Amino acid sequence: YAKIDRLKSKATENGFIFDSSWMTRSLNENETIESVLCGHSELLVIALNLIQEPAPKFIQVVKNLRVCGHCHEFTKVIAKIEQCDIVVRDANRIHHFYPNGQCSCQDHF
């Protein structure tokens, strides 16, 4: 979770805005929009991979649900910040996030 917090800070410094339209439930007492959106499984798996030493240059994630729009945008930012390739296979397609901050699906998810 500390790595997710550092990634959130770096993303915010680079102009990333957390979009509350991707929220599917009300916030509980001690939650923020950022904490709920960054608690999605694929982001936690990516953060877990990034705490390895040395940091990987390629991360692959497989999930049985679709990637939400927030996770898609945030993963693009993570790939750019960390300068690594991230591949996420969801229920519909394979997303290849490149170190230049682009995705192979060209944002058609």
Side-chain angles (χ1 to χ4, degrees), residues 11-27:
T12 304
E13 289 171 8
N14 288 314
F16 183 77
I17 298 171
F18 291 90
D19 185 1
S20 63
S21 69
W22 293 104
M23 295 288 297
T24 57
R25 63 175 177 84
S26 301
L27 292 175

Side-chain angles (χ1 to χ4, degrees), residues 1-84:
Y1 289 100
K3 181 64 175 180
I4 285 282
D5 289 339
R6 289 191 297 273
L7 290 170
K8 285 191 299 190
S9 296
K10 287 180 183 178
T12 304
E13 289 171 8
N14 288 314
F16 183 77
I17 298 171
F18 291 90
D19 185 1
S20 63
S21 69
W22 293 104
M23 295 288 297
T24 57
R25 63 175 177 84
S26 301
L27 292 175
N28 292 331
E29 187 175 312
N30 294 326
E31 293 179 324
T32 63
I33 293 168
E34 293 88 3
S35 68
V36 171
L37 291 175
C38 289
H40 290 178
S41 61
E42 59 270 33
L43 297 180
L44 295 175
V45 168
I46 292 168
L48 178 65
N49 277 275
L50 290 172
I51 61 174
Q52 297 178 38
E53 290 293 331
K57 292 296 177 188
F58 177 78
I59 298 170
Q60 184 172 349
V61 179
V62 178
K63 61 180 289 172
N64 61 344
L65 301 172
R66 291 195 58 200
V67 173
C68 77
H70 168 265
C71 291
H72 189 270
E73 293 301 313
F74 196 56
T75 304
K76 289 190 327 186
V77 172
I78 292 171
K80 189 172 186 176
I81 290 170
E82 296 292 329
Q83 288 296 293
C84 66

